[in-house]
Amino acid sequence: MITLKTPAQIAKMREAGRVVAAMLEACRAVARPGVTTAELDRVAAEVLRKAGATSSFLGYSVPPYPATICTSVNHEIVHGIPSPKRKLREGDIVGIDAGAIVDGWHADAAITLPIGRVSPEAERLLRITAEALRVGIARAQVGARIGDIGTAVEEFVRSQGFSVVQNYVGHGIGRAMHEDPQVPNYRPTRGQPNPPISEGLCIAIEPMVNIGGPETRTLADRWTVVTADQSLSAHFEHTLACTAGGPVVLTARGEGAAVAA
Ligand code: MF3
Ligand code: CO
């Protein structure tokens, strides 16, 4: 069931979105060679605490997700668990995924950061994945359909010679982190749901892009998702509201994002 949000509810989600943006900015500011992914988790948790917000991820699902954020290094696609043993090294790329709850409303976003100098190939992967997210957001127009988003994302990523993960998708978001509809990053096949985008629809678009094939594997920790072929993977995500005036990104960084820091 898809629930559309009122402008007042979207304003609440924007507050959660500001906190998420501040968490990601704080992680970006400290991410460098020698820093552990557990330290990034602490930095994000501190931003949440100061904002009086809570994590969308901590305790989520079964087995309960054990951290505030997800940190996914190199061939890890999503849901990597922060660890004091995982020191970031020059040349790594690290996906940082954060969700915040403010007054019962969720926002969810992710970035992938280069650690020090990275290979030209890694740099291009980051650029193309961030661009894929922008391509998807541009299609989130009232009157279009959810499938238009994935169709555009997939076409763009393939045109660049990379592949898009299909086993994980974006999602509706609001009072829960995961609501209907699913928001795939690929063209819907016949018979797959393809709901229209209505005013007040709030969704998280989150392309996951691999240099190699799209196949995934889940590690023994039951969370960390990696590329089956060990190729590098990147992930960018925003929460947005679909309005008559076009998509409004609720997790935008930059101006206003420091409010919760
Ligand atoms: N952005 C991810 C998602 O939308 C984050 C979920 S991590 C989890 O699914 F730990 F909460 F599952
Ligand atoms: Co998400």
Side-chain angles (χ1 to χ4, degrees):
M1 189 193 58
I2 295 174
T3 59
L4 304 176
K5 278 76 183 178
T6 66
Q9 292 172 332
I10 291 169
K12 280 287 176 201
M13 292 179 64
R14 177 70 180 119
E15 285 181 39
R18 281 206 180 86
V19 177
V20 169
M23 292 165 82
L24 296 178
E25 279 307 324
C27 287
R28 185 203 298 278
V30 299
R32 66 174 65 85
V35 169
T36 69
T37 54
E39 285 165 340
L40 297 181
D41 195 67
R42 264 201 300 282
V43 162
E46 185 61 14
V47 172
L48 271 181
R49 193 188 63 75
K50 284 190 178 148
T54 54
S55 169
S56 303
F57 299 179
L58 183 64
Y60 180 78
S61 189
V62 181
Y65 186 74
T68 296
I69 60 172
C70 302
T71 52
S72 307
V73 184
N74 295 338
H75 72 293
E76 296 171 357
I77 302 169
V78 285
H79 304 171
I81 301 172
S83 161
K85 289 188 229 146
R86 188 59 140 127
K87 232 184 208 153
L88 296 172
R89 286 187 291 258
E90 176 102 22
D92 283 344
I93 59 172
V94 58
I96 300 172
D97 193 343
I101 313 171
V102 172
D103 291 344
W105 292 94
H106 291 252
D108 180 13
I111 56 177
T112 303
L113 296 173
I115 301 302
R117 276 180 64 94
V118 303
S119 70
E121 197 183 37
E123 208 165 286
R124 187 166 160 265
L125 175 68
L126 301 189
R127 196 158 30 79
I128 296 304
T129 310
E131 180 67 18
L133 173 56
R134 286 190 288 270
V135 163
I137 291 171
R139 298 303 175 114
Q141 303 289 346
V142 171
R145 286 186 177 268
I146 286 292
D148 298 333
I149 296 170
T151 300
V153 169
E154 180 180 32
E155 191 176 300
F156 172 70
V157 169
R158 289 168 80 129
S159 78
Q160 301 300 312
F162 294 146
S163 62
V164 126
V165 170
Q166 302 213 0
N167 289 341
Y168 298 85
V169 296
H171 48 93
I173 182 167
R175 285 198 187 275
M177 170 169 64
H178 291 151
E179 297 184 355
D180 286 341
Q182 292 198 355
V183 183
N185 297 296
Y186 51 90
R187 179 191 297 276
T189 51
R190 239 200 303 277
Q192 250 176 359
N194 187 10
I197 297 173
S198 304
E199 199 172 343
L201 180 70
C202 291
I203 53 176
I205 301 179
E206 48 181 317
M208 291 146 268
V209 175
N210 302 346
I211 286 184
E215 298 81 10
T216 69
R217 224 159 48 75
T218 305
L219 300 187
D221 64 19
R222 294 174 64 188
W223 276 106
T224 310
V225 179
V226 300
T227 55
D229 61 10
Q230 305 280 301
S231 69
L232 283 184
S233 183
H235 176 216
F236 283 83
E237 175 178 18
H238 269 309
T239 293
L240 49 119
C242 303
T243 76
V248 177
V249 176
L250 303 178
T251 44
R253 296 177 295 278
E255 220 204 312
V259 168

